[in-house]
Amino acid sequence: MSKPGAPTLYPNLSKSPPASAAPPSSSSSSSEPATPLAAPVAAGSAARESRDMWRDSLLRYMGYANEVGEAFRYQAPGMVIPSYLVAFGYVCGDARDKGLRASNAGRSGVYAAADCFVWQSLASVAIPGLLINQVVAWSRKGLAHVEAMKPPPVALPKPVVKWTPTALGLCAIPLIIRPIDHGVDFLLDSTTRRVWGRPV
């Protein structure tokens, strides 16, 4: 029971219609708009169009191929160059996709593709590849220094000496991704995007 003076949520239901009001026709009450039925279909198609296969699918891991190649540089040197080719293939594919999306939306496709190419080249290939390379190289130097000590503080088995740098390189990959992404965002926001704007 509502309090006296309190507004009712549905005022039309609390009052009887005036005597002169005509009852609603059956044709108007029976016809229902098609919008509620079409809304889920439209929402589903929009979600499919907004889904980015280069960022939201397994293709994203192609951008990390060169980091894996760097981790295995001393165990499988032949896979380093192919890993970079895979990573740059991913970069080019993502840049092309972002350029087409921008063109279809009426924006500059060339600038969107260029911005994506620079961002991915730095954040997915160049900087993480260099960091993993240095993690593996310095790990090897540290283990070699321990082995060269007379007497060595600990006897390291050969498999440990061989595979520890690779394991450290692989473990470092998920730790460096997010800081590098934020750093490259800050770099572009402070340089090219300050002049030409940030692609939407």
Side-chain angles (χ1 to χ4, degrees):
M1 183 175 182
S2 60
K3 297 180 181 179
T8 57
L9 295 178
Y10 305 101
N12 291 335
L13 298 181
S14 62
K15 300 177 182 178
S16 58
S20 61
S25 62
S26 58
S27 60
S28 61
S29 60
S30 60
S31 61
E32 294 293 337
T35 303
L37 297 177
V41 178
S45 61
R48 285 192 298 271
E49 291 177 358
S50 63
R51 184 175 183 272
D52 189 348
M53 72 173 186
W54 296 95
R55 307 288 177 91
D56 304 328
S57 71
L58 294 178
L59 282 176
R60 180 67 183 94
Y61 293 99
M62 290 176 60
Y64 307 139
N66 65 302
E67 288 101 291
V68 177
E70 288 290 354
F72 284 92
R73 173 177 285 274
Y74 297 97
Q75 278 68 39
M79 69 180 293
V80 176
I81 294 179
S83 71
Y84 274 88
L85 294 177
V86 171
F88 269 114
Y90 166 80
V91 171
C92 293
D94 191 25
R96 178 180 179 275
D97 177 70
K98 298 305 175 290
L100 291 176
R101 285 172 179 254
S103 296
N104 293 336
R107 302 189 301 271
S108 173
V110 174
Y111 173 59
D115 180 86
C116 177
F117 183 85
V118 172
W119 191 94
Q120 288 282 18
S121 297
L122 293 174
S124 296
V125 181
I127 298 176
L130 176 63
L131 287 179
I132 299 302
N133 177 282
Q134 292 301 299
V135 167
V136 174
W138 283 102
S139 300
R140 285 171 56 86
K141 291 180 180 179
L143 292 172
H145 178 72
V146 171
E147 284 190 309
M149 295 176 66
K150 301 296 183 180
V154 60
L156 297 175
K158 292 299 181 182
V160 172
V161 176
K162 179 180 180 180
W163 291 104
T164 295
T166 298
L168 292 176
L170 293 174
C171 292
I173 294 175
L175 301 178
I176 66 175
I177 292 174
R178 194 171 297 275
I180 291 176
D181 288 353
H182 290 312
V184 174
D185 265 332
F186 177 79
L187 175 64
L188 295 187
D189 287 343
S190 303
T191 54
T192 57
R193 291 172 180 172
R194 184 179 293 272
V195 178
W196 292 294
R198 185 186 182 102
V200 180

